[in-house]
Amino acid sequence: KTFIRRKAKIDTGARTTAIDISVAKHLGLLPVYTNFQRLMPKLKITKKNFQAVREQINHTVTPRLKKQIPGLYDIRVIPATNGISVRPYVQLHLHLRGKHIATVASIVDRKTLLYSVLVGKKDLAGFLIDPTKHDYKEA
């Protein structure tokens, strides 16, 4: 098993954890992302057809791609900040403040963002989040 240390953004507004492509590469999970990008059908998703496309992905696309892509745990259609996105999910383990967390995380391009790992609220059970504390300097 590969272990890498990264500073992470703790995001109580995000449901699940997300890792950058570079982190996936270090963990040996890059083929999941590249195969997902190659094999995932290009679907036009709008607010109107969101539910129908999500159903199609859940019932048809996901089972097929899980057979074709080793390590792919799930595919989820997510209404994200920057619009609707379709993301591949993998299983991994986090170590956060001495606590071991087995989780599922999406692989997403975060290279333009400050942190290569975002920890969502699903993985923050048992932690007290103090929004007044941070270790970066505000602009």
Side-chain angles (χ1 to χ4, degrees):
K1 297 206 180 208
T2 307
F3 180 85
I4 61 168
R5 183 180 297 273
R6 291 289 183 273
K7 275 193 173 184
K9 178 178 182 176
I10 303 301
D11 189 346
T12 57
R15 186 176 300 136
T16 59
T17 293
I19 62 170
D20 180 58
I21 300 161
S22 64
V23 174
K25 184 177 181 180
H26 281 288
L27 296 174
L29 297 167
L30 187 61
V32 175
Y33 182 80
T34 53
N35 286 319
F36 170 80
Q37 295 292 37
R38 188 170 54 85
L39 298 169
M40 180 67 202
K42 297 291 170 250
L43 301 165
K44 184 82 182 120
I45 307 171
T46 63
K47 281 192 173 111
K48 271 195 172 77
N49 75 2
F50 177 79
Q51 285 300 89
V53 171
R54 182 186 253 175
E55 291 290 309
Q56 178 190 353
I57 289 170
N58 289 347
H59 294 99
T60 312
V61 179
T62 301
R64 188 182 79 233
L65 291 191
K66 280 171 82 172
K67 286 187 187 109
Q68 291 179 280
I69 305 172
L72 178 66
Y73 178 80
D74 198 8
I75 297 170
R76 297 183 190 164
V77 185
I78 299 173
T81 314
N82 54 353
I84 300 162
S85 69
V86 181
R87 298 182 183 173
Y89 277 75
V90 293
Q91 291 179 297
L92 52 84
H93 297 263
L94 302 173
H95 294 269
L96 194 59
R97 290 274 183 233
K99 190 173 170 187
H100 178 97
I101 303 160
T103 192
V104 173
S106 64
I107 302 174
V108 66
D109 186 344
R110 296 185 55 82
K111 73 173 167 280
T112 61
L113 302 169
L114 202 53
Y115 296 94
S116 59
V117 176
L118 178 145
V119 180
K121 62 183 162 216
K122 195 178 122 313
D123 296 322
L124 295 171
F127 289 99
L128 176 65
I129 309 300
D130 183 345
T132 65
K133 289 189 177 176
H134 45 76
D135 63 3
Y136 58 89
K137 301 286 179 268
E138 300 228 6

